[in-house]
């Protein structure tokens, strides 16, 4: 059967198109909005299964990391194909393993930022002039949302330490990357994900980023005991290194907030290697290494 999710720049329109095509082919795939971005673009969540053991995958927090949307949508496509076919995925009896579980997927947490990164500042609506002044029309620069807030620094986890580190690095206001925002969860994208986690009790969550082929699993004293073992299994499947973030990546992230707030497992995957934005041609080789890790992580 012809692939739906193919290598292409994954702007907000492409992601909407892939979601629509997947739902037309696989009627059992559910889709619903969890909120909207600063510029009013809907944040779509996909769901497979109806079980009470729930796992969340979320991608494209950073604008230059749009390849992660393709990786997650390709995984969604392969899960759907397995459920519509013989039930097997990565040599795992996936359909049987999904019993009692449900998989939630947010392919694009930062649609405004991705559109800026791919098409330039003119896509930012009323924020276009400010984005342009901050360098939004320079290729490879923009990673934040349309208000210049880094959506993986905007969570209330180590906020004061993050503020001090950003100030020491000279980041004190809206920027193409790494500004935490004026206060925790200041951005509608962050609020939407926090609200989803309040409504749905996720067993664990996984945030897809790029690049580095690393798995981050720990944050503070609330990290559950099983997290390290889970991370080692993920690493064994993919060849990724189980590691710890450093510097400005040490606080304020979604997985940090999730672990700190819920005491349940959260992970960040740094997918692929190279320089962001990773080229669309990297979809196939990166996904080939990640498929088994993604399937097992959905069923853990």
């Amino acid at each position: 059967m012809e692939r739906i999710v193919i290598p292409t720049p994954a702007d907000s329109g492409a992601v909407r198109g892939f979601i629509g095509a997947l739902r037309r082919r696989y009627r059992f795939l559910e889709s619903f909005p969890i909120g909207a971005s600063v510029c009013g673009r809907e944040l779509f969540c996909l769901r497979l299964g109806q079980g009470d053991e729930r796992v969340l995958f979320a991608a494209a927090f950073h604008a230059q990391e749009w390849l992660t949307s393709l990786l997650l949508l390709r995984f969604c496509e392969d899960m759907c194909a397995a459920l519509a076919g013989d039930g097997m995925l990565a040599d795992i009896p996936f359909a049987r393993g999904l019993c009692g579980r449900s998989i939630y997927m947010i392919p694009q947490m930062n649609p405004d930022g991705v559109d800026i990164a791919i098409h330039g500042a003119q896509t930012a609506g009323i924020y276009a002039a400010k984005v342009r002044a901050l360098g939004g029309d320079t290729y490879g620069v923009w990673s934040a949302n349309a208000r210049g807030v880094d959506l993986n620094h905007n969570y209330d986890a180590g906020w004061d330490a993050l503020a001090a580190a950003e100030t020491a690095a000279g980041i004190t206001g809206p920027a193409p990357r790494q500004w935490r925002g004026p206060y925790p969860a200041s951005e509608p994208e962050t609020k939407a994900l926090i609200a989803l986690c309040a409504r749905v009790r996720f067993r664990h969550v996984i945030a897809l980023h790029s690049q580095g082929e690393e798995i981050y699993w720990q944050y503070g004293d609330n990290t559950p005991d099983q997290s390290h073992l889970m991370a080692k299994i993920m690493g064994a499947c993919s060849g990724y290194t189980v590691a710890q973030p450093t510097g400005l990546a040490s606080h304020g992230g979604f997985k940090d907030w999730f672990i700190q707030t819920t005491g349940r497992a959260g992970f960040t995957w740094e997918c692929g290697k190279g320089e962001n934005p990773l080229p669309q041609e990297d979809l196939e080789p990166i996904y080939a290494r990640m498929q088994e890790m993604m399937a097992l992580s959905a069923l853990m």
Side-chain angles (χ1 to χ4, degrees):
M1 189 179 297
E2 185 179 356
R3 283 283 193 189
I4 290 174
V5 181
I6 59 174
T8 190
D11 63 14
S12 63
V15 168
R16 286 195 307 272
F18 286 140
I19 290 172
L22 287 168
R23 294 196 66 222
R24 286 190 295 273
R25 180 177 290 181
Y26 302 106
R27 299 293 182 176
F28 51 81
L29 177 64
E30 299 178 68
S31 173
F32 56 93
I34 64 166
S37 68
V38 165
C39 292
R41 295 177 174 92
E42 284 191 307
L43 307 174
F44 292 100
C45 185
L46 303 172
R47 182 172 63 190
L48 284 171
Q50 298 292 330
D52 292 334
E53 294 291 336
R54 304 175 180 96
V55 175
L56 172 68
F57 294 82
F61 290 79
H62 290 144
Q64 297 296 328
E65 300 174 10
W66 49 260
L67 192 77
T68 60
S69 294
L70 298 180
L71 292 166
L72 185 51
L73 288 166
R74 172 63 66 82
F75 178 51
C76 179
E77 181 177 5
D78 281 359
M79 286 192 292
C80 289
L83 295 174
D86 64 4
M88 299 296 292
L89 176 58
D91 295 324
I92 297 166
F94 190 83
R96 186 166 58 196
L98 193 60
C99 292
R101 303 178 186 276
S102 51
I103 313 302
Y104 289 68
M105 296 156 281
I106 305 173
Q108 194 172 64
M109 278 304 307
N110 186 9
D112 298 347
V114 170
D115 282 4
I116 292 165
I118 294 174
H119 302 296
Q122 76 274 6
T123 63
I126 62 172
Y127 302 97
K130 178 175 285 189
V131 168
R132 189 172 293 111
L134 291 171
D137 284 333
T138 302
Y139 178 79
V141 166
W142 199 265
S143 198
N145 75 349
R147 289 203 288 228
V149 175
D150 187 316
L151 293 181
N152 207 44
H153 284 208
N154 193 229
Y155 291 86
D156 193 6
W159 187 260
D160 291 341
L162 180 61
E166 288 182 3
T167 299
I171 305 167
T172 58
R177 61 182 69 236
Q178 296 184 320
W179 183 52
R180 68 195 179 283
Y183 52 87
S186 60
E187 304 310 290
E189 299 92 341
T190 307
K191 287 186 175 74
L193 190 49
I194 289 173
L196 177 67
C197 291
R199 294 194 305 273
V200 181
R201 189 185 190 280
F202 291 113
R203 179 185 180 93
H204 58 268
V205 302
I206 297 166
L208 278 69
H209 289 261
S210 65
Q211 41 72 37
E213 296 185 353
E214 293 185 327
I215 298 165
Y216 306 145
W217 59 277
Q218 187 177 25
Y219 189 77
D221 296 336
N222 258 10
T223 305
D225 292 339
Q226 72 270 23
S227 292
H228 194 201
L229 176 60
M230 293 172 69
K232 288 194 289 186
I233 293 170
M234 294 171 184
C237 295
S238 61
Y240 281 25
T241 302
V242 176
Q244 289 276 50
T246 58
L248 290 177
S250 300
H251 300 286
F254 170 57
K255 73 95 173 152
D256 306 331
W257 170 85
F258 185 83
I259 294 170
Q260 176 178 279
T261 302
T262 70
R264 298 192 294 276
F267 303 91
T268 295
W269 292 347
E270 294 289 350
C271 308
K273 274 194 173 180
E275 183 176 344
N276 291 324
L278 298 178
Q280 64 196 49
E281 293 79 15
D282 281 7
L283 169 63
E284 306 296 350
I286 292 174
Y287 180 70
R289 286 189 64 183
M290 292 183 62
Q291 186 195 55
E292 183 182 10
M293 175 172 69
M294 298 177 89
L296 283 176
S297 299
L299 302 179
M300 282 185 188

